[in-house]
Amino acid sequence: PKGLRVISLTSNSGKSLGIWQLQIGTPSACPHLDEALLLRSKGKPSQALELLDKPPGLNTNKCKGRGDGVRARLLLDLDRPQEAKSFFEKAASKRRADGELSGWVKESLALAFITTFKLRNFAQSRATLASVQSALEGYDEGRVHLAFAHGQLARASGDLRGALQAYSEAEEFAGKLDMGWLRYIFGNARAEALSALGRDKEAMEIFDSMLKDSQNGLDACGRAGLLNNTGWQRMGMRNKMPQTQWNSENDPAPVYKEALKLFRTRCPSQVEDANVSVNLALMNLQTDQLDAAEQYLEDARKEHPNPDAYIALWMKEIKGRIALARQKNADALAIYDDLHQVSSPMSEARLRAT
């Protein structure tokens, strides 16, 4: 109808309340922001960020408020987490000042993600989640995402059983609100936690079930991520069993290759392309396919010449292991010396390099 500004859908299920809102406005209200989001969807975060800084830029309070959150995500895409953190904080503050509860929760949980996984500042993550917890009265959808965030923090800090409990709570809340699409996210996280606890069979059952359901239930990016994680799970399982038990059902190659194809076509992402390529390099190294491993490693370098620290360490380690396998001991020693220097004192990479 003429004059409509907000479409609001409310779902009541017992004591649970879910609210979804769509703001209706002039499509050209923030043209730079709309164009930047389009560029990001095409895997071009650098160009999107440059666009936001061009005149007239984000020249209204409304556009600036939305823009801080978008800018933060672009910076995160470019692996600039400290800068992204600053803009997530600004975005959350503006959303709260404007009385946008769902927007404030969204930006706050994104901030917690940054401090948990990128900056490893668990104390700040806990403080952020506690702040969200105190303001969720009557907003049950927020409880779903908060429970998942608690699970992610627990897992990152080493509390795997606490993570499983939080993921189960998130799934329970989501089920009450008919948010079934979240099962892929929560199921993936729960499976990884189970695997870390040595319960690989249960984990693989979850991945296999989700893969069967995901053809019609996930977009290209979601399916690509699920495929990559399934490949990692299969590769880990194979490392624990004799080769005589290897078969097509636990072969990581097909799912990795499908994920790589999606990240190069329907869900373009240089970062994720490099991530899958590194996984394929490791897979081929483990089966002594050294030429293929080197090729995938080179592909990863070409796609993402400046990877984040985690991927960069894996690339160095694989390069070192290839050198060892080719009996180039001096080269391998130099690579592992470098790996030892650049990794943090208690990191997994340093322990492997020692």
Side-chain angles (χ1 to χ4, degrees):
K2 185 177 180 180
L4 183 66
R5 288 292 176 267
V6 178
I7 297 176
S8 180
L9 298 178
T10 302
S11 171
N12 259 310
S13 177
K15 296 181 179 179
S16 298
L17 176 66
I19 300 173
W20 177 88
Q21 289 186 335
L22 174 65
Q23 299 288 334
I24 306 298
T26 305
S28 60
C30 307
H32 272 39
L33 192 56
D34 296 335
E35 291 177 45
L37 288 168
L38 180 61
L39 284 169
R40 186 188 184 218
S41 72
K42 294 179 178 179
K44 299 178 180 179
S46 294
Q47 291 173 248
L49 204 55
E50 290 174 5
L51 181 65
L52 292 183
D53 292 326
K54 290 181 179 179
L58 306 175
N59 56 0
T60 67
N61 286 335
K62 178 182 178 181
C63 292
K64 289 176 182 176
R66 288 179 58 201
D68 284 336
V70 173
R71 190 183 295 271
R73 287 165 176 81
L74 292 171
L75 289 166
L76 185 58
D77 291 343
L78 293 167
D79 195 36
R80 292 158 61 179
Q82 192 64 53
E83 295 169 82
K85 171 179 172 289
S86 175
F87 281 99
F88 275 127
E89 289 172 336
K90 291 178 181 178
S93 178
K94 288 179 181 177
R95 290 293 188 96
R96 189 166 199 179
D98 291 341
E100 298 180 34
L101 177 60
S102 62
W104 170 66
V105 170
K106 177 182 177 181
E107 303 299 359
S108 295
L109 295 184
L111 172 62
F113 173 87
I114 289 265
T115 54
T116 296
F117 290 104
K118 294 295 183 178
L119 303 178
R120 312 295 286 182
N121 187 338
F122 299 147
Q124 183 169 357
S125 297
R126 291 188 183 96
T128 299
L129 297 185
S131 176
V132 173
Q133 179 77 55
S134 67
L136 284 183
E137 184 68 31
Y139 181 40
D140 288 337
E141 184 177 335
R143 292 175 63 201
V144 175
H145 298 291
L146 179 63
F148 179 67
H150 274 300
Q152 294 290 74
L153 176 57
R155 180 183 165 200
S157 58
D159 180 10
L160 293 173
R161 286 180 172 78
L164 279 175
Q165 180 179 349
Y167 295 148
S168 295
E169 288 178 3
E171 288 185 272
E172 181 184 349
F173 293 153
K176 291 179 179 178
L177 295 176
D178 296 323
M179 299 167 69
W181 57 273
L182 284 174
R183 72 175 292 259
Y184 298 103
I185 298 173
F186 300 157
N188 187 93
R190 187 160 56 90
E192 291 180 350
L194 284 168
S195 180
L197 286 167
R199 295 159 64 179
D200 293 302
K201 185 177 180 180
E202 294 173 72
M204 201 67 256
E205 287 173 353
I206 292 173
F207 276 118
D208 288 342
S209 173
M210 291 192 299
L211 270 184
K212 289 177 183 177
D213 294 342
S214 67
Q215 289 284 6
N216 299 317
L218 282 178
D219 61 15
C221 294
R223 180 165 172 81
L226 177 58
L227 287 161
N228 184 42
N229 290 336
T230 301
W232 185 261
Q233 177 64 26
R234 290 183 181 182
M235 194 162 63
M237 282 188 67
R238 279 194 165 190
N239 288 339
K240 300 174 185 179
M241 63 175 64
Q243 289 195 15
T244 55
Q245 295 181 16
W246 291 11
N247 55 48
S248 60
E249 293 184 358
N250 56 45
D251 185 2
V255 289
Y256 274 147
K257 290 178 180 178
E258 187 181 344
L260 192 61
K261 182 179 179 180
L262 287 172
F263 282 132
R264 289 180 176 177
T265 54
R266 294 167 55 201
C267 180
S269 170
Q270 289 181 323
V271 174
E272 294 303 333
D273 186 325
N275 184 26
V276 179
S277 294
V278 168
N279 288 344
L280 278 162
L282 182 60
M283 181 198 73
N284 280 280
L285 174 63
Q286 292 174 345
T287 54
D288 296 322
Q289 305 296 314
L290 302 184
D291 290 342
E294 284 187 318
Q295 184 57 58
Y296 279 118
L297 204 57
E298 182 60 28
D299 290 347
R301 291 193 192 97
K302 289 179 180 177
E303 285 298 321
H304 198 32
N306 298 302
D308 64 27
Y310 183 75
I311 293 297
L313 291 174
W314 268 110
M315 291 173 73
K316 284 180 182 292
E317 182 182 345
I318 293 170
K319 184 178 179 181
R321 289 169 64 179
I322 291 173
L324 275 176
R326 294 193 186 282
Q327 298 184 345
K328 297 180 179 180
N329 296 338
D331 291 346
L333 182 60
I335 292 168
Y336 279 112
D337 279 344
D338 183 43
L339 184 62
H340 191 273
Q341 291 296 321
V342 299
S343 55
S344 62
M346 293 304 294
S347 72
E348 182 182 354
R350 173 164 289 194
L351 292 174
R352 292 195 299 264
T354 300

